Protein backbone atom coordinates (compact mmCIF):
# COMPACT_ATOMS: atom_id res chain seq x y z
CA UNK A 1 0.00 0.00 0.00
CA UNK A 2 2.61 2.56 1.04
CA UNK A 3 5.21 1.52 -1.51
CA UNK A 4 2.77 1.02 -4.39
CA UNK A 5 4.16 1.06 -7.93
CA UNK A 6 0.82 1.69 -9.64
CA UNK A 7 -2.24 3.64 -8.47
CA UNK A 8 -5.79 4.05 -9.76
CA UNK A 9 -7.83 7.10 -8.73
CA UNK A 10 -11.51 6.12 -8.93
CA UNK A 11 -13.55 9.28 -9.24
CA UNK A 12 -10.77 11.29 -10.88
CA UNK A 13 -12.39 14.51 -12.05
CA UNK A 14 -11.83 17.11 -14.75
CA UNK A 15 -13.13 19.74 -12.30
CA UNK A 16 -10.15 21.33 -10.46
CA UNK A 17 -12.31 21.94 -7.37
CA UNK A 18 -13.15 18.26 -6.85
CA UNK A 19 -11.13 15.99 -4.57
CA UNK A 20 -10.81 13.43 -7.36
CA UNK A 21 -8.94 16.05 -9.41
CA UNK A 22 -6.86 17.33 -6.49
CA UNK A 23 -5.62 13.86 -5.49
CA UNK A 24 -4.77 12.94 -9.08
CA UNK A 25 -2.93 16.24 -9.50
CA UNK A 26 -1.00 15.75 -6.24
CA UNK A 27 0.14 12.29 -7.31
CA UNK A 28 1.39 13.68 -10.61
CA UNK A 29 2.97 16.88 -9.27
CA UNK A 30 4.38 15.07 -6.25
CA UNK A 31 6.56 13.06 -8.60
CA UNK A 32 5.07 9.57 -8.23
CA UNK A 33 7.22 7.38 -10.47
CA UNK A 34 4.78 4.54 -11.10
CA UNK A 35 1.74 4.22 -13.30
CA UNK A 36 -1.29 6.41 -12.53
CA UNK A 37 -4.73 5.44 -13.84
CA UNK A 38 -7.60 7.97 -13.62
CA UNK A 39 -11.02 6.27 -13.54
CA UNK A 40 -13.88 8.36 -14.95
CA UNK A 41 -16.48 6.93 -17.38
CA UNK A 42 -17.19 10.38 -18.84
CA UNK A 43 -13.62 11.44 -19.68
CA UNK A 44 -11.01 10.28 -22.17
CA UNK A 45 -8.08 12.08 -20.55
CA UNK A 46 -7.43 13.93 -17.30
CA UNK A 47 -4.29 15.96 -16.61
CA UNK A 48 -2.56 14.30 -19.54
CA UNK A 49 -3.34 10.78 -18.34
CA UNK A 50 -5.55 8.36 -20.25
CA UNK A 51 -8.85 7.90 -18.38
CA UNK A 52 -10.56 4.52 -17.98
CA UNK A 53 -14.25 3.76 -17.54
CA UNK A 54 -13.65 1.27 -14.72
CA UNK A 55 -10.89 -0.55 -12.87
CA UNK A 56 -11.56 -3.62 -14.98
CA UNK A 57 -10.56 -1.74 -18.15
CA UNK A 58 -6.97 -1.18 -16.99
CA UNK A 59 -4.50 -3.42 -18.83
CA UNK A 60 -1.73 -3.48 -16.23
CA UNK A 61 -1.57 -4.43 -12.57
CA UNK A 62 -2.73 -1.98 -9.91
CA UNK A 63 -1.22 -1.98 -6.41
CA UNK A 64 -3.48 0.65 -4.86
CA UNK A 65 -6.92 2.12 -5.60
CA UNK A 66 -7.93 5.48 -4.15
CA UNK A 67 -11.72 5.81 -4.17
CA UNK A 68 -13.39 9.24 -4.32
CA UNK A 69 -16.94 8.52 -5.50
CA UNK A 70 -20.29 8.96 -3.66
CA UNK A 71 -20.82 6.42 -0.87
CA UNK A 72 -23.57 4.45 -2.64
CA UNK A 73 -21.20 3.59 -5.50
CA UNK A 74 -18.26 2.48 -3.34
CA UNK A 75 -19.37 -1.19 -2.90
CA UNK A 76 -19.51 -1.77 -6.65
CA UNK A 77 -16.09 -0.13 -7.08
CA UNK A 78 -14.72 -2.38 -4.35
CA UNK A 79 -16.13 -5.40 -6.18
CA UNK A 80 -14.31 -4.30 -9.32
CA UNK A 81 -11.11 -3.86 -7.31
CA UNK A 82 -11.43 -7.39 -5.99
CA UNK A 83 -12.01 -8.83 -9.47
CA UNK A 84 -9.06 -6.84 -10.80
CA UNK A 85 -6.79 -8.28 -8.09
CA UNK A 86 -6.26 -4.99 -6.27
CA UNK A 87 -5.56 -5.74 -2.62
CA UNK A 88 -5.00 -2.24 -1.20
CA UNK A 89 -7.68 0.46 -1.13
CA UNK A 90 -8.00 3.93 0.37
CA UNK A 91 -11.59 5.18 0.62
CA UNK A 92 -11.72 8.96 0.88
CA UNK A 93 -15.51 9.12 0.65
CA UNK A 94 -17.60 9.83 3.76
CA UNK A 95 -21.17 8.83 4.47
CA UNK A 96 -20.61 5.55 6.28
CA UNK A 97 -20.59 4.56 9.95
CA UNK A 98 -19.99 8.13 11.08
CA UNK A 99 -23.54 9.08 10.03
CA UNK A 100 -25.15 5.97 11.52
CA UNK A 101 -28.17 4.11 10.09
CA UNK A 102 -27.79 3.34 6.39
CA UNK A 103 -24.20 4.54 6.46
CA UNK A 104 -23.29 1.88 8.99
CA UNK A 105 -24.96 -0.80 6.87
CA UNK A 106 -23.00 0.41 3.84
CA UNK A 107 -19.71 0.19 5.74
CA UNK A 108 -20.50 -3.36 6.84
CA UNK A 109 -21.15 -4.23 3.19
CA UNK A 110 -17.69 -2.91 2.31
CA UNK A 111 -16.11 -5.14 4.93
CA UNK A 112 -17.87 -8.22 3.54
CA UNK A 113 -16.57 -7.46 0.04
CA UNK A 114 -13.06 -6.77 1.36
CA UNK A 115 -13.03 -10.07 3.25
CA UNK A 116 -14.23 -11.92 0.16
CA UNK A 117 -11.28 -10.68 -1.94
CA UNK A 118 -8.60 -10.18 0.73
CA UNK A 119 -8.57 -6.39 0.34
CA UNK A 120 -7.11 -4.09 3.03
CA UNK A 121 -8.90 -0.77 3.46
CA UNK A 122 -7.82 2.58 4.90
CA UNK A 123 -10.87 4.70 5.72
CA UNK A 124 -13.57 5.32 4.74
CA UNK A 125 -14.18 8.97 5.58
CA UNK A 126 -10.50 9.87 5.52
CA UNK A 127 -7.98 12.26 3.96
CA UNK A 128 -5.84 9.60 2.30
CA UNK A 129 -2.18 8.69 2.61
CA UNK A 130 1.14 10.28 1.69
CA UNK A 131 4.47 8.43 1.64
CA UNK A 132 7.09 11.06 0.84
CA UNK A 133 9.75 8.36 0.37
CA UNK A 134 7.62 6.91 -2.44
CA UNK A 135 6.72 10.37 -3.84
CA UNK A 136 3.12 9.27 -3.31
CA UNK A 137 0.77 12.02 -2.14
CA UNK A 138 -2.67 10.39 -2.38
CA UNK A 139 -3.97 13.10 -0.09
CA UNK A 140 -4.04 16.89 0.28
CA UNK A 141 -2.38 19.33 0.61
CA UNK A 142 0.62 18.38 -1.52
CA UNK A 143 3.62 17.93 0.78
CA UNK A 144 6.81 16.33 -0.52
CA UNK A 145 9.53 17.02 2.07
CA UNK A 146 11.02 13.73 3.26
CA UNK A 147 11.54 13.18 6.98
CA UNK A 148 11.66 10.66 9.85
CA UNK A 149 8.22 10.94 11.50
CA UNK A 150 5.20 8.79 10.55
CA UNK A 151 1.90 10.58 11.22
CA UNK A 152 -1.18 8.45 11.92
CA UNK A 153 -4.39 10.36 12.56
CA UNK A 154 -8.14 9.91 12.85
CA UNK A 155 -8.44 13.58 11.93
CA UNK A 156 -7.37 14.59 8.44
CA UNK A 157 -6.93 18.21 9.49
CA UNK A 158 -4.76 17.33 12.49
CA UNK A 159 -2.56 15.21 10.23
CA UNK A 160 -2.34 17.91 7.55
CA UNK A 161 -1.51 20.63 10.08
CA UNK A 162 1.19 18.48 11.71
CA UNK A 163 2.68 17.71 8.29
CA UNK A 164 2.55 21.34 7.22
CA UNK A 165 4.41 22.45 10.36
CA UNK A 166 7.12 19.89 9.67
CA UNK A 167 7.51 20.98 6.07
CA UNK A 168 7.49 24.68 6.99
CA UNK A 169 10.34 24.07 9.43
CA UNK A 170 12.27 22.01 6.88
CA UNK A 171 11.95 18.61 8.57
CA UNK A 172 9.30 16.80 6.54
CA UNK A 173 7.80 13.43 7.45
CA UNK A 174 8.10 9.83 6.32
CA UNK A 175 4.45 8.92 5.89
CA UNK A 176 1.01 10.33 6.66
CA UNK A 177 -2.05 8.14 7.16
CA UNK A 178 -5.54 9.50 7.74
CA UNK A 179 -7.45 6.67 9.43
CA UNK A 180 -10.99 8.00 9.19
CA UNK A 181 -13.48 5.39 10.43
CA UNK A 182 -10.86 2.64 10.78
CA UNK A 183 -13.22 0.09 9.20
CA UNK A 184 -10.26 -2.22 8.55
CA UNK A 185 -6.66 -0.96 8.88
CA UNK A 186 -6.18 0.58 12.31
CA UNK A 187 -3.49 1.92 14.63
CA UNK A 188 -2.31 -1.59 15.57
CA UNK A 189 -1.62 -2.52 11.93
CA UNK A 190 0.18 0.76 11.34
CA UNK A 191 2.36 0.68 14.46
CA UNK A 192 3.45 -2.81 13.42
CA UNK A 193 4.24 -1.60 9.88
CA UNK A 194 6.09 1.59 10.83
CA UNK A 195 8.07 -0.19 13.56
CA UNK A 196 9.78 -1.99 10.65
CA UNK A 197 9.83 0.85 8.12
CA UNK A 198 13.43 1.94 7.53
CA UNK A 199 12.37 5.52 6.72
CA UNK A 200 10.55 6.03 10.04
CA UNK A 201 12.23 6.83 13.38
CA UNK A 202 9.22 8.13 15.36
CA UNK A 203 5.53 7.14 15.19
CA UNK A 204 3.09 9.96 16.03
CA UNK A 205 -0.58 9.08 16.51
CA UNK A 206 -3.68 11.25 16.93
CA UNK A 207 -6.33 8.78 18.02
CA UNK A 208 -9.87 9.21 19.32
CA UNK A 209 -10.47 5.61 20.41
CA UNK A 210 -8.73 2.22 20.42
CA UNK A 211 -10.59 -0.78 18.96
CA UNK A 212 -8.51 -3.49 20.66
CA UNK A 213 -6.75 -2.29 23.80
CA UNK A 214 -4.76 -5.46 24.39
CA UNK A 215 -3.48 -5.62 20.80
CA UNK A 216 -2.62 -1.90 20.99
CA UNK A 217 -0.55 -2.41 24.14
CA UNK A 218 1.15 -5.54 22.80
CA UNK A 219 2.26 -3.97 19.52
CA UNK A 220 3.44 -0.81 21.32
CA UNK A 221 5.55 -2.85 23.76
CA UNK A 222 7.22 -4.66 20.87
CA UNK A 223 7.98 -1.44 19.00
CA UNK A 224 11.56 -0.24 19.52
CA UNK A 225 10.81 3.25 18.20
CA UNK A 226 9.25 6.13 20.17
CA UNK A 227 5.46 6.32 19.91
CA UNK A 228 3.90 9.70 20.71
CA UNK A 229 0.12 9.77 21.18
CA UNK A 230 -2.37 12.63 21.37
CA UNK A 231 -5.80 11.41 22.45
CA UNK A 232 -8.68 13.83 23.06
CA UNK A 233 -11.99 13.05 24.74
CA UNK A 234 -10.76 13.54 28.30
CA UNK A 235 -13.90 15.35 29.50
CA UNK A 236 -17.44 14.01 29.25
CA UNK A 237 -18.28 16.61 26.62
CA UNK A 238 -15.11 15.74 24.70
CA UNK A 239 -16.09 12.05 24.72
CA UNK A 240 -19.45 12.91 23.14
CA UNK A 241 -17.68 14.95 20.44
CA UNK A 242 -15.36 12.01 19.69
CA UNK A 243 -18.34 9.71 19.20
CA UNK A 244 -20.02 12.09 16.77
CA UNK A 245 -16.80 12.62 14.78
CA UNK A 246 -15.78 9.08 13.81
CA UNK A 247 -18.10 6.95 15.97
CA UNK A 248 -15.12 5.99 18.13
CA UNK A 249 -15.48 5.28 21.84
CA UNK A 250 -13.11 7.52 23.80
CA UNK A 251 -13.26 5.30 26.91
CA UNK A 252 -12.04 6.14 30.40
CA UNK A 253 -9.06 8.42 30.24
CA UNK A 254 -7.34 6.97 33.32
CA UNK A 255 -7.41 3.52 31.71
CA UNK A 256 -5.82 4.84 28.52
CA UNK A 257 -3.22 6.72 30.57
CA UNK A 258 -2.27 3.55 32.44
CA UNK A 259 -2.08 1.62 29.17
CA UNK A 260 0.33 4.20 27.74
CA UNK A 261 2.59 4.03 30.79
CA UNK A 262 2.67 0.23 30.74
CA UNK A 263 3.40 0.15 27.01
CA UNK A 264 6.14 2.80 26.89
CA UNK A 265 4.00 5.26 24.91
CA UNK A 266 4.66 8.97 25.37
CA UNK A 267 1.35 10.76 25.76
CA UNK A 268 1.14 14.41 24.72
CA UNK A 269 -1.43 16.65 26.40
CA UNK A 270 -2.00 19.08 23.55
CA UNK A 271 -1.13 19.68 19.89
CA UNK A 272 2.07 21.60 20.69
CA UNK A 273 3.40 18.79 22.89
CA UNK A 274 2.40 16.26 20.24
CA UNK A 275 4.46 18.13 17.65
CA UNK A 276 7.40 19.05 19.90
CA UNK A 277 7.81 15.57 21.43
CA UNK A 278 7.81 14.01 17.97
CA UNK A 279 10.33 16.47 16.58
CA UNK A 280 12.64 16.18 19.58
CA UNK A 281 12.68 12.38 19.54
CA UNK A 282 13.28 12.29 15.78
CA UNK A 283 16.10 14.83 15.60
CA UNK A 284 17.82 15.29 18.97
CA UNK A 285 20.65 13.02 20.23
CA UNK A 286 20.03 10.41 22.92
CA UNK A 287 19.78 11.55 26.55
CA UNK A 288 21.69 9.51 29.14
CA UNK A 289 21.15 11.45 32.40
CA UNK A 290 19.11 14.20 34.07
CA UNK A 291 21.69 16.97 34.63
CA UNK A 292 20.78 19.99 32.49
CA UNK A 293 22.75 23.18 32.01
CA UNK A 294 20.94 26.28 30.80
CA UNK A 295 22.90 28.94 28.94
CA UNK A 296 20.83 32.06 28.37
CA UNK A 297 20.81 35.77 27.72
CA UNK A 298 17.45 36.02 29.51
CA UNK A 299 17.17 35.18 33.19
CA UNK A 300 13.38 35.22 33.07
CA UNK A 301 13.18 32.77 30.19
CA UNK A 302 15.55 30.42 32.03
CA UNK A 303 13.34 30.41 35.13
CA UNK A 304 10.34 29.38 33.02
CA UNK A 305 12.38 26.47 31.65
CA UNK A 306 13.64 25.42 35.11
CA UNK A 307 10.13 25.05 36.46
CA UNK A 308 9.18 22.69 33.63
CA UNK A 309 12.38 20.64 33.90
CA UNK A 310 12.35 20.22 37.68
CA UNK A 311 8.64 19.41 37.73
CA UNK A 312 9.25 16.45 35.40
CA UNK A 313 12.26 14.87 37.08
CA UNK A 314 15.15 16.63 35.35
CA UNK A 315 17.73 18.46 37.42
CA UNK A 316 19.28 21.90 36.93
CA UNK A 317 22.21 21.54 39.37
CA UNK A 318 24.25 24.47 40.59
CA UNK A 319 27.48 25.03 38.70
CA UNK A 320 30.51 23.24 40.22
CA UNK A 321 33.11 25.68 41.57
CA UNK A 322 35.75 24.20 39.30
CA UNK A 323 33.63 25.03 36.26
CA UNK A 324 32.79 28.50 37.56
CA UNK A 325 36.46 29.38 37.57
CA UNK A 326 36.78 28.34 33.93
CA UNK A 327 33.63 30.22 32.93
CA UNK A 328 34.79 33.47 34.54
CA UNK A 329 37.56 33.65 31.96
CA UNK A 330 35.14 33.62 28.96
CA UNK A 331 32.03 35.46 30.25
CA UNK A 332 31.21 39.12 30.99
CA UNK A 333 32.15 40.25 34.48
CA UNK A 334 28.50 40.68 35.48
CA UNK A 335 27.33 37.30 34.11
CA UNK A 336 25.59 34.99 36.60
CA UNK A 337 27.34 31.61 36.65
CA UNK A 338 25.11 29.66 39.04
CA UNK A 339 23.18 27.62 36.38
CA UNK A 340 21.31 28.96 34.65
CA UNK A 341 24.36 30.65 33.18
CA UNK A 342 22.91 34.11 32.53
CA UNK A 343 25.13 35.88 30.02
CA UNK A 344 22.85 38.96 30.06
CA UNK A 345 22.45 41.34 27.13
CA UNK A 346 26.20 41.32 26.45
CA UNK A 347 26.03 37.75 25.14
CA UNK A 348 27.30 36.94 21.67
CA UNK A 349 27.76 33.73 19.72
CA UNK A 350 31.40 33.28 20.74
CA UNK A 351 30.56 33.49 24.45
CA UNK A 352 27.80 30.90 24.07
CA UNK A 353 30.19 28.56 22.26
CA UNK A 354 32.87 28.86 24.93
CA UNK A 355 30.38 28.30 27.76
CA UNK A 356 28.94 25.15 26.20
CA UNK A 357 32.34 23.67 25.35
CA UNK A 358 33.79 24.31 28.82
CA UNK A 359 30.67 22.82 30.45
CA UNK A 360 30.38 19.79 28.18
CA UNK A 361 31.73 17.13 30.55
CA UNK A 362 29.74 18.36 33.57
CA UNK A 363 26.19 17.90 32.24
CA UNK A 364 24.03 15.42 30.32
CA UNK A 365 22.08 17.96 28.26
CA UNK A 366 22.07 21.64 27.41
CA UNK A 367 19.18 24.05 26.99
CA UNK A 368 20.42 27.09 25.08
CA UNK A 369 18.19 30.15 25.13
CA UNK A 370 19.04 32.88 22.63
CA UNK A 371 16.99 35.76 23.99
CA UNK A 372 18.35 38.54 21.78
CA UNK A 373 19.32 39.15 18.12
CA UNK A 374 22.42 36.95 18.34
CA UNK A 375 24.04 36.45 14.96
CA UNK A 376 26.04 33.27 14.41
CA UNK A 377 23.77 31.22 16.70
CA UNK A 378 23.50 28.48 14.08
CA UNK A 379 27.27 28.09 13.81
CA UNK A 380 27.56 27.82 17.61
CA UNK A 381 25.01 25.02 17.85
CA UNK A 382 26.41 23.24 14.80
CA UNK A 383 29.89 23.18 16.34
CA UNK A 384 28.52 21.88 19.65
CA UNK A 385 26.22 19.27 18.05
CA UNK A 386 27.76 15.99 19.22
CA UNK A 387 26.55 13.05 21.32
CA UNK A 388 24.43 14.96 23.85
CA UNK A 389 21.17 16.87 23.39
CA UNK A 390 21.55 20.60 22.82
CA UNK A 391 18.02 21.97 22.84
CA UNK A 392 17.62 25.42 21.31
CA UNK A 393 15.09 28.06 22.24
CA UNK A 394 15.35 31.23 20.16
CA UNK A 395 12.96 33.99 21.14
CA UNK A 396 12.91 37.76 21.01
CA UNK A 397 15.52 38.04 18.27
CA UNK A 398 13.50 39.70 15.49
CA UNK A 399 14.80 39.33 11.94
CA UNK A 400 18.10 37.87 13.15
CA UNK A 401 16.19 35.16 15.02
CA UNK A 402 14.20 34.26 11.91
CA UNK A 403 17.33 33.93 9.79
CA UNK A 404 19.25 31.91 12.37
CA UNK A 405 16.27 29.64 13.08
CA UNK A 406 15.88 28.88 9.39
CA UNK A 407 19.58 28.04 9.06
CA UNK A 408 19.44 25.65 12.01
CA UNK A 409 16.31 23.91 10.81
CA UNK A 410 17.80 23.41 7.35
CA UNK A 411 20.63 21.56 9.07
CA UNK A 412 18.16 19.33 10.95
CA UNK A 413 18.49 21.17 14.28
CA UNK A 414 15.13 21.72 16.02
CA UNK A 415 14.43 25.21 17.37
CA UNK A 416 11.66 25.89 19.88
CA UNK A 417 9.91 29.28 20.17
CA UNK A 418 9.43 29.37 23.96
CA UNK A 419 11.51 28.20 26.93
CA UNK A 420 8.66 25.97 28.15
CA UNK A 421 8.39 24.16 24.81
CA UNK A 422 12.17 23.68 24.67
CA UNK A 423 12.13 22.29 28.21
CA UNK A 424 9.26 19.92 27.38
CA UNK A 425 11.28 18.64 24.41
CA UNK A 426 13.97 17.63 26.89
CA UNK A 427 11.29 16.06 29.08
CA UNK A 428 10.22 13.85 26.18
CA UNK A 429 13.81 12.62 25.80
CA UNK A 430 13.97 11.94 29.52
CA UNK A 431 10.74 9.96 29.47
CA UNK A 432 11.79 7.87 26.46
CA UNK A 433 15.46 7.18 27.21
CA UNK A 434 15.70 7.29 30.98
CA UNK A 435 12.45 6.76 32.90
Amino acid sequence: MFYAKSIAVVGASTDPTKLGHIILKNLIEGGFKGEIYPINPKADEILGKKAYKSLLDIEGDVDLAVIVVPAKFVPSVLEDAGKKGIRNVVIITGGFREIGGEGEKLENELLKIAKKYGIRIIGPNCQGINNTHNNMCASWPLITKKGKIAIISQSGTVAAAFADWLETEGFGFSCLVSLGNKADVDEVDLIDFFSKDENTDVISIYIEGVKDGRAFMDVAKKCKKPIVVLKPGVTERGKKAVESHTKSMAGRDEVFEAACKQSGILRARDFEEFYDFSKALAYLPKLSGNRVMIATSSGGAAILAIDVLERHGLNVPYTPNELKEKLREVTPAHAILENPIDLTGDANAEIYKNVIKLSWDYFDAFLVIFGDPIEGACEVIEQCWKDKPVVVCYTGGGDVERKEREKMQLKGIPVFPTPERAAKALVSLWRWYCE
Side-chain angles (χ1 to χ4, degrees):
M1 186 176 288
F2 297 110
Y3 290 93
K5 295 179 181 177
S6 53
I7 301 175
V9 180
V10 185
S13 176
T14 56
D15 183 347
T17 67
K18 301 289 188 182
L19 280 179
H21 183 94
I22 292 167
I23 290 173
L24 179 65
K25 184 180 180 183
N26 286 349
L27 282 168
I28 295 168
E29 294 188 352
F32 181 68
K33 294 179 172 57
E35 293 293 333
I36 302 174
Y37 303 105
I39 307 298
N40 184 327
K42 298 179 181 178
D44 296 323
E45 183 182 281
I46 306 175
L47 294 173
K49 298 285 183 182
K50 177 185 174 181
Y52 296 82
K53 295 189 183 303
S54 81
L55 290 170
L56 297 174
D57 293 330
I58 299 171
E59 299 90 355
D61 293 333
V62 179
D63 292 331
L64 171 66
V66 182
I67 301 176
V68 203
V69 298
K72 64 182 179 180
F73 299 121
V74 175
S76 64
V77 171
L78 204 57
E79 278 281 358
D80 285 351
K83 292 173 183 175
K84 176 64 182 170
I86 301 168
R87 297 295 176 257
N88 303 290
V89 171
V90 175
I91 303 175
I92 306 292
T93 308
F96 294 91
R97 189 179 75 240
E98 79 279 5
I99 66 169
E102 290 302 314
E104 190 162 359
K105 291 179 184 176
L106 205 55
E107 187 167 311
N108 289 334
E109 186 180 348
L110 296 183
L111 291 174
K112 287 179 184 177
I113 297 168
K115 186 176 181 180
K116 174 182 172 183
Y117 291 104
I119 297 171
R120 299 309 307 268
I121 298 172
I122 285 180
N125 182 36
C126 76
Q127 199 164 319
I129 64 177
N130 182 352
N131 183 355
T132 60
H133 293 277
N134 193 28
N135 301 311
M136 189 184 79
C137 183
S139 180
W140 69 93
L142 174 59
I143 296 177
T144 59
K145 180 70 176 176
K146 295 174 175 59
K148 303 177 180 180
I149 300 170
I151 306 164
I152 303 166
S153 178
Q154 272 191 273
S155 163
T157 297
V158 168
F162 193 112
D164 187 54
W165 285 10
L166 285 169
E167 183 174 62
T168 299
E169 291 195 336
F171 293 103
F173 59 90
S174 62
C175 200
L176 177 152
V177 188
S178 173
L179 284 170
N181 291 2
K182 298 194 297 184
D184 175 32
V185 173
D186 62 14
E187 61 282 348
V188 173
D189 299 307
L190 294 170
I191 291 171
D192 182 55
F193 173 77
F194 288 119
S195 70
K196 302 162 188 169
D197 179 44
E198 64 181 13
N199 293 313
T200 297
D201 289 350
V202 173
I203 303 168
S204 303
I205 309 174
Y206 170 86
I207 193 168
E208 295 174 358
V210 176
K211 287 200 295 187
D212 185 338
R214 176 55 58 191
F216 178 71
M217 291 178 68
D218 287 345
V219 76
K221 285 177 182 177
K222 291 174 186 173
C223 182
K224 303 302 181 185
K225 299 175 183 179
I227 301 171
V228 182
V229 169
L230 176 61
K231 181 184 176 297
V234 176
T235 64
E236 286 303 314
R237 185 64 185 85
K239 290 176 185 177
K240 293 292 184 184
V242 162
E243 189 173 347
S244 66
H245 180 214
T246 53
K247 281 293 183 289
S248 296
M249 296 299 293
R252 290 173 55 192
D253 191 67
E254 59 268 31
V255 173
F256 185 77
E257 179 74 12
C260 288
K261 288 179 179 177
Q262 289 180 35
S263 308
I265 294 169
L266 278 74
R267 188 175 182 191
R269 291 297 171 183
D270 54 44
F271 204 152
E272 282 186 353
E273 281 193 0
F274 184 43
Y275 180 73
D276 290 346
F277 286 6
S278 302
K279 187 171 67 171
L281 288 160
Y283 292 96
L284 288 169
K286 180 179 178 180
L287 180 65
S288 57
N290 74 341
R291 300 169 301 163
V292 181
M293 192 203 82
I294 301 176
T296 182
S297 60
S298 166
I303 296 167
L304 291 170
I306 288 172
D307 283 343
V308 173
L309 294 170
E310 293 276 344
R311 193 164 61 240
H312 289 89
L314 287 151
N315 183 24
V316 184
Y318 292 110
T319 311
N321 289 330
E322 176 188 359
L323 176 58
K324 276 187 194 175
E325 294 303 317
K326 297 177 183 177
L327 293 176
R328 283 196 180 97
E329 298 177 9
V330 298
T331 56
H334 49 278
I336 300 169
L337 305 180
E338 206 54 273
N339 194 19
I341 312 298
D342 186 356
L343 305 174
T344 72
D346 290 338
N348 58 41
E350 186 69 17
I351 294 173
Y352 271 100
K353 182 183 72 174
N354 290 334
V355 166
I356 296 169
K357 288 192 170 182
L358 287 172
S359 306
W360 193 259
D361 293 333
Y362 294 86
F363 300 93
D364 303 303
F366 299 82
L367 201 166
V368 181
I369 302 173
F370 297 112
D372 295 283
I374 295 172
E375 295 184 355
C378 176
E379 286 71 20
V380 169
I381 300 303
E382 192 178 13
Q383 289 175 40
C384 298
W385 197 262
K386 296 177 183 175
D387 55 351
K388 295 180 182 179
V390 180
V391 182
V392 179
C393 169
Y394 207 146
T395 186
D399 288 339
V400 172
E401 173 192 333
R402 285 181 275 279
K403 290 175 185 174
E404 293 293 329
R405 185 197 306 132
E406 183 178 0
K407 285 194 287 185
M408 280 187 263
Q409 288 169 171
L410 286 172
K411 294 179 182 294
I413 299 170
V415 181
F416 299 89
T418 70
E420 296 97 332
R421 288 178 67 176
K424 284 184 180 180
L426 257 178
V427 169
S428 71
L429 299 184
W430 171 248
R431 286 170 58 186
W432 173 249
Y433 289 112
C434 301
E435 276 193 339

